[in-house]
Amino acid sequence: MSSVRPTAVARILPEHDPNWESKWRQARERYDELMRKPPPFTQEESDELVATMKRMEEMQNRRFRTTADYRDHHFARAQEALDRVGVSFELPELPDHATLEEIDSWLNRAWRAIDVTMTENF
């Protein structure tokens, strides 16, 4: 019997889009156009602004090819924020095959810890 354990493979994200950056840029240009309009926004402009912001976020997430890429990026950002506000919260070392739900669960905990800390300090 071999003592070598098989390594888990990172989950591929089916939503990955190799052209995410150009699509994000297009959405960002529209966002900038809308933000240059003098207030107040019409309901249509407001709805378009929200939809454009969602599109930008969607394209940001479509840059990740695997859950490991997604985890590494978002865990690093969360850790930077935790460190910046002085929250002692340790993100786990999730395996490369972790699901988005597992990753997002830990990210939500980290962001809640930041929110609680920031609320307590005000």
Side-chain angles (χ1 to χ4, degrees):
M1 195 173 267
S2 172
S3 63
V4 176
R5 293 178 19 188
T7 57
V9 177
R11 292 177 190 267
I12 301 297
L13 294 172
E15 297 84 18
H16 169 68
D17 185 344
N19 300 314
W20 72 270
E21 194 169 9
S22 65
K23 293 175 183 178
W24 180 87
R25 232 182 269 118
Q26 289 173 347
R28 178 58 195 233
E29 288 170 6
R30 183 59 186 146
Y31 171 85
D32 290 343
E33 287 173 21
L34 289 167
M35 293 304 291
R36 282 192 294 270
K37 292 183 179 249
F41 287 133
T42 65
Q43 186 61 49
E44 184 178 278
E45 291 168 335
S46 182
D47 292 346
E48 185 180 1
L49 181 64
V50 169
T52 300
M53 291 168 56
K54 286 180 183 177
R55 180 78 173 149
M56 289 168 58
E57 181 179 6
E58 179 184 318
M59 286 302 102
Q60 282 286 330
N61 283 329
R62 288 191 177 195
R63 71 180 160 175
F64 303 110
R65 197 173 84 64
T66 67
T67 55
D69 296 337
Y70 178 88
R71 176 205 60 210
D72 293 348
H73 173 80
H74 287 293
F75 271 28
R77 288 186 63 221
Q79 191 62 60
E80 288 171 8
L82 288 161
D83 294 344
R84 187 173 47 252
V85 297
V87 175
S88 178
F89 184 95
E90 190 169 329
L91 289 164
E93 291 189 26
L94 295 179
D96 287 350
H97 64 278
T99 65
L100 287 176
E101 291 77 19
E102 291 170 317
I103 296 164
D104 285 343
S105 173
W106 281 100
L107 288 169
N108 287 334
R109 292 175 194 179
W111 292 115
R112 275 196 313 268
I114 291 169
D115 288 343
V116 167
T117 301
M118 296 303 290
T119 302
E120 289 175 354
N121 290 333
F122 289 103

